[in-house]
Amino acid sequence: MNTLHTDTLTDFHSSARDVFEKIDATQLENTVSLILKAEKIYVLGTGHSGMIGRILSMKLNHVGLRAYTVFDEINPPFGQKDLFIAISQSGETKTIIALAQKAKKLGGKVLGITSVEDSALGNIADFLLCIEKHGRFTEFKALGVIGDIHNQNLLGALFGFNIYVLFYTIIIMLARAKNETPDSINTRHANLQ
């Protein structure tokens, strides 16, 4: 007998599997290369994207990169050798678009992460990593309670889950490229808690 938690897991897994099978490995390699070339990395998203973006910023620091979350008061200035990672499911979030434009004016690069290639973010970004909001063949038996495939509650949750897994994939690729080990990463983990 299935229970709610196994049905929920099945929904997320089925959707993510369909989405991830469409991601081109070359796109991920290019993303890693872009991140490695940056002097500093700034990450911004809102809603689910913002919460997962903060985790990305933290994990980038754990693998020895200089990463910041936009709007933190202690950030250094953004410069020409820096990368702005703009996360927007729709590619139209006004704050994200405005800051992506500003990052470009300051001479830096913009990596857009969205589910809509033909969007404002898609048109601004120097490099775009497009990831679908949800899989096409998932019935959403459990998740349907919070919305259907046209409902922002469900789409935010699914996109957030997908980018969470995607960002850990990117962190693993970065760790390998930098010859990081669990021990070297652990030395950069927060300990004043």
Side-chain angles (χ1 to χ4, degrees), residues 19-178:
V19 167
F20 275 75
E21 286 175 351
K22 296 179 185 95
I23 296 174
D24 182 3
T26 303
Q27 277 191 303
L28 294 179
E29 291 166 8
N30 291 340
T31 299
V32 167
S33 177
L34 191 64
I35 291 170
L36 287 171
K37 289 177 186 170
E39 189 170 289
K40 297 185 299 294
I41 303 137
Y42 295 78
V43 181
L44 181 63
T46 61
H48 282 89
S49 299
M51 290 185 288
I52 307 304
R54 291 183 69 78
I55 294 169
L56 174 62
S57 181
M58 175 186 67
K59 298 311 288 182
L60 289 169
N61 279 288
H62 288 172
V63 295
L65 300 170
R66 292 176 61 198
Y68 307 91
T69 303
V70 176
F71 298 127
D72 282 351
E73 290 77 10
I74 59 169
N75 288 348
F78 186 89
Q80 293 181 350
K81 296 179 182 177
D82 297 337
L83 175 66
F84 176 56
I85 299 179
I87 312 163
S88 170
Q89 175 195 312
S90 67
E92 302 292 339
T93 309
K94 292 186 186 318
T95 304
I96 306 292
I97 301 307
L99 289 174
Q101 290 169 331
K102 185 170 185 177
K104 289 191 72 132
K105 280 184 188 174
L106 292 169
K109 297 276 187 213
V110 174
L111 166 61
I113 299 174
T114 183
S115 61
V116 185
E117 187 172 357
D118 186 23
S119 61
L121 181 56
N123 294 324
I124 292 168
D126 297 292
F127 182 80
L128 190 65
L129 187 54
C130 202
I131 179 165
E132 292 182 4
K133 294 175 267 203
H134 58 80
R136 286 187 252 167
F137 306 111
T138 305
E139 293 180 27
F140 303 113
K141 292 176 185 172
L143 291 172
V145 172
I146 63 170
D148 62 20
I149 60 170
H150 305 290
N151 183 290
Q152 191 59 40
N153 287 330
L154 181 60
L155 294 179
L158 291 168
F159 185 73
F161 180 81
N162 290 339
I163 62 173
Y164 183 78
V165 176
L166 176 71
F167 290 166
Y168 266 91
T169 302
I170 290 169
I171 292 300
I172 292 164
M173 292 173 73
L174 287 164
R176 287 178 176 169
K178 295 180 82 258

